[in-house]
Amino acid sequence: MNRPDPDVQAVIDLATAGFPPLATEMTDITEVRAFFAARPGPAVPPPPVARVTDEDADGVPVRVYDPGVHETAPVIVFCHGGGFVLCDLDSHDGFCRSLALATEAVVVSVDYRRAPEHPFPAAPEDAYTALLWAAATYPGRRIAVAGDSAGANLATVLTLLSRDRGGPEVTCQALYYPMLDPTRSRPSHRENAQGYFLTADHLRWYWDGYLQAPAHRTSPYAAPLAGADLSGLPPAQVVTAGFDPLRDDGLAYAEALTAAGVPVTSHHHAGMFHGFLSMAGALPAANEARETAFAALREALARD
């Protein structure tokens, strides 16, 4: 059986040690959020961006990162991960700053409502409202959608909603280890169920909090791998990790998009784990992978 390299496993162990025992010993959402609120902030200051402002996107809080490169810079609507339950604008602040600087794009990070207090479809509806706001606030600019984990689910759902509701036009979608299938039935969910930071217990708890009505588990706007019509969607960039329970979600979605005629660029990192792009400071390989992912998105947004 393959195992992560020792330096990768050391980062996995550190990340696991700093994470609560979700779904097993800790299930109350108030207790879970208090745990994260009590953790110290990052030791390294986040990279400076020319202008960072908190805005109201027609009722949805967003944080806008403008690198100040040029007045017609493209826009990336970003949805953070956290199983639809955890994380917020602050948890992904450093990631969004790096994304804005690397892509030379304005990043609009969406503070969507979270489960279990606000189950599906609150999150995708908030994200779509933010997408409409971004299109109206930055008219004529190219717009991409991006996200990690559950946020990557929301990003690809945004492409479905924009297609089905007549806009706004999305240039491309960047999906970083997407969380797409509530059945959790593919092999990677068994192979990587424990020991690699994100666990099968976490995913069960996340999905149960997000999809509280049984019918929602087959909605294309919640589970894009549940037979959704993927035709006519914008080109996709999909990043997957070998030791991630969600590995096969991302690989299957890339295959499904390709079968539907959607251009796909896949970046599979066999030795990495879930969330590794956010840990670029601890792993040279993760830093290189993030640079590659962000460069690909910048190129896609600049393409004529």
Short mmCIF file of all heavy atoms in Angstrom, two decimals, residues 2 19 43 51 83 93 96 107 110 123 131 172 178 180 210-211 233 236-237 251 258 262 275 283:
data_model
loop_
_atom_site.label_atom_id
_atom_site.label_comp_id
_atom_site.label_asym_id
_atom_site.label_seq_id
_atom_site.Cartn_x
_atom_site.Cartn_y
_atom_site.Cartn_z
N ASN A 2 0.58 2.18 -0.89
CA ASN A 2 1.33 3.43 -0.93
C ASN A 2 1.08 4.26 0.31
O ASN A 2 -0.02 4.26 0.87
CB ASN A 2 0.93 4.22 -2.18
CG ASN A 2 1.40 3.55 -3.45
OD1 ASN A 2 2.39 2.82 -3.44
ND2 ASN A 2 0.69 3.80 -4.53
N PHE A 19 -7.10 19.69 14.55
CA PHE A 19 -8.48 19.61 14.07
C PHE A 19 -9.32 18.86 15.09
O PHE A 19 -8.86 17.87 15.67
CB PHE A 19 -8.51 18.89 12.73
CG PHE A 19 -9.64 19.28 11.84
CD1 PHE A 19 -9.63 20.49 11.17
CD2 PHE A 19 -10.73 18.44 11.66
CE1 PHE A 19 -10.68 20.86 10.32
CE2 PHE A 19 -11.79 18.80 10.83
CZ PHE A 19 -11.76 20.01 10.16
N ALA A 43 0.92 32.39 11.94
CA ALA A 43 2.15 32.99 12.46
C ALA A 43 2.78 33.94 11.46
O ALA A 43 3.46 34.91 11.84
CB ALA A 43 3.13 31.89 12.83
N ARG A 51 -5.76 46.47 -2.43
CA ARG A 51 -7.00 46.91 -1.80
C ARG A 51 -7.81 45.69 -1.40
O ARG A 51 -8.09 44.83 -2.23
CB ARG A 51 -7.82 47.78 -2.77
CG ARG A 51 -9.06 48.42 -2.14
CD ARG A 51 -9.72 49.39 -3.11
NE ARG A 51 -10.33 48.69 -4.23
CZ ARG A 51 -11.60 48.29 -4.26
NH1 ARG A 51 -12.39 48.53 -3.23
NH2 ARG A 51 -12.08 47.67 -5.32
N GLY A 83 -16.73 21.93 4.10
CA GLY A 83 -17.84 20.99 4.20
C GLY A 83 -19.21 21.63 4.23
O GLY A 83 -20.15 21.01 4.73
N ASP A 93 -8.49 33.83 3.90
CA ASP A 93 -7.98 35.15 3.55
C ASP A 93 -6.62 35.07 2.86
O ASP A 93 -6.39 35.67 1.81
CB ASP A 93 -7.91 36.02 4.80
CG ASP A 93 -7.39 37.43 4.51
OD1 ASP A 93 -8.13 38.23 3.94
OD2 ASP A 93 -6.21 37.69 4.85
N CYS A 96 -6.90 33.59 -0.67
CA CYS A 96 -7.47 34.52 -1.64
C CYS A 96 -6.50 35.64 -1.99
O CYS A 96 -6.46 36.09 -3.15
CB CYS A 96 -8.77 35.10 -1.10
SG CYS A 96 -10.14 33.92 -1.10
N VAL A 107 -10.46 39.18 -6.81
CA VAL A 107 -11.08 38.00 -6.21
C VAL A 107 -12.22 38.45 -5.30
O VAL A 107 -12.03 39.29 -4.42
CB VAL A 107 -10.05 37.18 -5.41
CG1 VAL A 107 -10.73 36.05 -4.65
CG2 VAL A 107 -8.99 36.61 -6.35
N VAL A 110 -16.80 34.73 -1.18
CA VAL A 110 -18.21 34.73 -0.80
C VAL A 110 -18.40 34.16 0.60
O VAL A 110 -17.99 33.02 0.88
CB VAL A 110 -19.04 33.92 -1.81
CG1 VAL A 110 -20.53 34.02 -1.47
CG2 VAL A 110 -18.78 34.40 -3.24
N ALA A 123 -26.53 27.93 0.41
CA ALA A 123 -25.17 28.25 -0.03
C ALA A 123 -25.09 28.54 -1.52
O ALA A 123 -24.53 29.57 -1.93
CB ALA A 123 -24.21 27.13 0.35
N LEU A 131 -22.32 36.12 -7.54
CA LEU A 131 -21.88 36.10 -8.94
C LEU A 131 -22.59 37.19 -9.75
O LEU A 131 -21.95 37.91 -10.53
CB LEU A 131 -22.15 34.72 -9.54
CG LEU A 131 -21.83 34.55 -11.03
CD1 LEU A 131 -20.35 34.73 -11.30
CD2 LEU A 131 -22.31 33.17 -11.51
N CYS A 172 -14.43 30.38 -17.04
CA CYS A 172 -13.85 29.09 -16.69
C CYS A 172 -14.14 28.79 -15.23
O CYS A 172 -14.55 29.67 -14.46
CB CYS A 172 -12.35 29.05 -16.96
SG CYS A 172 -11.40 30.28 -16.05
N PRO A 178 -12.59 18.91 -5.45
CA PRO A 178 -14.02 19.16 -5.23
C PRO A 178 -14.73 18.04 -4.47
O PRO A 178 -14.42 16.86 -4.60
CB PRO A 178 -14.57 19.28 -6.65
CG PRO A 178 -13.62 18.51 -7.50
CD PRO A 178 -12.27 18.71 -6.87
N LEU A 180 -18.20 16.43 -4.30
CA LEU A 180 -19.29 16.44 -5.27
C LEU A 180 -20.34 15.35 -5.08
O LEU A 180 -21.42 15.45 -5.66
CB LEU A 180 -18.72 16.31 -6.69
CG LEU A 180 -17.74 17.41 -7.12
CD1 LEU A 180 -17.11 17.05 -8.45
CD2 LEU A 180 -18.45 18.75 -7.20
N TYR A 210 -25.60 19.42 5.47
CA TYR A 210 -25.91 20.24 4.29
C TYR A 210 -27.17 19.79 3.57
O TYR A 210 -28.02 20.61 3.20
CB TYR A 210 -24.72 20.18 3.34
CG TYR A 210 -24.85 21.03 2.09
CD1 TYR A 210 -25.17 22.38 2.16
CD2 TYR A 210 -24.64 20.47 0.84
CE1 TYR A 210 -25.26 23.16 1.01
CE2 TYR A 210 -24.73 21.24 -0.32
CZ TYR A 210 -25.05 22.58 -0.23
OH TYR A 210 -25.14 23.34 -1.36
N LEU A 211 -27.32 18.49 3.38
CA LEU A 211 -28.46 17.95 2.63
C LEU A 211 -29.43 17.28 3.59
O LEU A 211 -29.38 16.07 3.81
CB LEU A 211 -27.97 16.98 1.55
CG LEU A 211 -26.97 17.54 0.54
CD1 LEU A 211 -26.57 16.47 -0.45
CD2 LEU A 211 -27.56 18.76 -0.17
N LEU A 233 -21.08 23.86 -20.37
CA LEU A 233 -20.41 24.51 -19.24
C LEU A 233 -19.06 25.06 -19.68
O LEU A 233 -18.48 24.61 -20.67
CB LEU A 233 -20.23 23.53 -18.09
CG LEU A 233 -21.51 22.96 -17.47
CD1 LEU A 233 -21.16 22.08 -16.27
CD2 LEU A 233 -22.47 24.07 -17.05
N ALA A 236 -12.92 23.73 -17.59
CA ALA A 236 -12.66 23.46 -16.18
C ALA A 236 -11.20 23.11 -15.94
O ALA A 236 -10.54 22.51 -16.80
CB ALA A 236 -13.54 22.31 -15.68
N GLN A 237 -10.72 23.49 -14.77
CA GLN A 237 -9.43 23.05 -14.26
C GLN A 237 -9.71 22.30 -12.96
O GLN A 237 -10.34 22.85 -12.05
CB GLN A 237 -8.52 24.25 -14.01
CG GLN A 237 -8.22 25.07 -15.25
CD GLN A 237 -7.53 26.37 -14.94
OE1 GLN A 237 -7.15 26.62 -13.81
NE2 GLN A 237 -7.37 27.21 -15.94
N LEU A 251 -11.79 13.21 -10.10
CA LEU A 251 -11.44 12.50 -11.32
C LEU A 251 -12.69 12.13 -12.12
O LEU A 251 -12.71 12.25 -13.35
CB LEU A 251 -10.63 11.24 -10.98
CG LEU A 251 -9.26 11.48 -10.34
CD1 LEU A 251 -8.61 10.16 -9.95
CD2 LEU A 251 -8.34 12.26 -11.28
N THR A 258 -15.57 15.98 -19.65
CA THR A 258 -14.98 15.67 -20.95
C THR A 258 -15.99 14.95 -21.85
O THR A 258 -16.12 15.26 -23.04
CB THR A 258 -13.73 14.80 -20.77
OG1 THR A 258 -12.77 15.53 -19.98
CG2 THR A 258 -13.10 14.45 -22.10
N VAL A 262 -16.93 19.34 -22.59
CA VAL A 262 -16.35 20.50 -21.90
C VAL A 262 -14.83 20.32 -21.83
O VAL A 262 -14.35 19.29 -21.35
CB VAL A 262 -16.93 20.65 -20.48
CG1 VAL A 262 -16.27 21.81 -19.75
CG2 VAL A 262 -18.44 20.82 -20.54
N GLY A 275 -6.65 19.47 0.94
CA GLY A 275 -6.32 20.76 1.52
C GLY A 275 -4.89 21.19 1.31
O GLY A 275 -4.48 22.24 1.83
N LEU A 283 5.12 22.87 2.58
CA LEU A 283 5.57 21.83 1.66
C LEU A 283 5.97 22.44 0.32
O LEU A 283 5.14 23.04 -0.36
CB LEU A 283 4.44 20.82 1.41
CG LEU A 283 4.10 19.84 2.54
CD1 LEU A 283 2.81 19.11 2.21
CD2 LEU A 283 5.24 18.85 2.74
#
